[in-house]
């Protein structure tokens, strides 16, 4: 039941993130990037990149099964101010906590950066899958990050 609620919440957040009115920026917390929360402005779904432009997308990690009562916003690979930030072109990845993570942590931590994602994946606590979960955000989309106000 909890997993279903988290999937629905994640789906709602990312549907809002990806399909927000292009004319209406959202300065409320929408995702984590480089340890900070960011707002966003949904713009458009993008076609899959080619070998020539894959590097112009950043990974966006959507955690589908966090049990942290604070909730878990998506986590970006990079954010404004980071030289690796690509301006808000995203390649969605699904991240799932493993049974080992729940045994180790009990309540899993809130992930706030790409470094957090890498650390927990290296510990065997996260399984990362390229692409989106059913009814999740588009696999490739554009959505620039905005400061939270």
């Amino acid at each position: 039941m909890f997993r279903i609620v988290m999937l629905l919440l994640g789906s709602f957040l990312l549907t809002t993130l990806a399909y927000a009115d292009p004319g209406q920026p959202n300065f409320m917390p929408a995702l984590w990037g480089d340890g900070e929360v960011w707002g966003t402005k949904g713009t458009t779904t993008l076609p899959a990149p080619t070998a020539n432009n894959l590097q112009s997308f950043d990974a966006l990690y959507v955690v589908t099964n966090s049990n942290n009562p604070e909730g878990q916003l998506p986590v970006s690979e990079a954010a404004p101010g980071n030289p690796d930030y690509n301006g808000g072109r995203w390649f969605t990845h699904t991240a799932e906590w493993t049974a080992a993570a729940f045994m180790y942590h009990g309540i899993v931590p809130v992930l706030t950066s790409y470094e957090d994602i890498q650390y927990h994946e290296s510990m065997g606590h996260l399984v990362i899958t390229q692409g989106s979960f059913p009814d999740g955000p588009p696999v490739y989309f554009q959505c620039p990050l905005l400061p939270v106000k």
Side-chain angles (χ1 to χ4, degrees):
M1 177 69 173
F2 182 79
R3 181 178 167 87
I4 292 170
V5 170
M6 291 309 294
L7 282 171
L8 290 173
L9 178 61
S11 178
F12 170 76
L13 285 173
L14 284 167
T15 300
T16 302
L17 182 103
Y19 297 112
D21 181 350
Q24 299 297 317
N26 176 2
F27 295 103
M28 300 300 294
L31 60 97
W32 285 100
D34 293 338
E36 294 181 46
V37 291
W38 295 89
T40 191
K41 177 182 177 180
T43 57
T44 187
T45 300
L46 297 173
T50 66
N52 295 330
N53 69 345
L54 181 59
Q55 73 284 354
S56 70
F57 285 77
D58 291 318
L60 182 70
Y61 298 93
V62 181
V63 181
T64 60
N65 65 339
S66 175
N67 67 351
N68 193 299
E70 292 180 36
Q72 176 67 63
L73 296 172
V75 179
S76 69
E77 181 178 19
N82 181 328
D84 293 328
Y85 178 61
N86 285 302
R89 287 176 300 280
W90 304 106
F91 176 14
T92 303
H93 291 65
T94 301
E96 293 184 273
W97 289 102
T98 63
F102 291 116
M103 291 292 294
Y104 181 83
H105 292 287
I107 303 291
V108 295
V110 172
L111 305 171
T112 65
S113 67
Y114 180 55
E115 290 76 21
D116 288 350
I117 297 284
Q118 290 178 309
Y119 174 73
H120 287 284
E121 183 182 31
S122 74
M123 290 182 63
H125 290 176
L126 283 176
V127 173
I128 308 294
T129 307
Q130 291 183 354
S132 190
F133 54 93
D135 299 322
V139 177
Y140 301 99
F141 65 100
Q142 184 167 316
C143 190
L145 301 185
L146 305 169
V148 170
K149 293 185 179 182

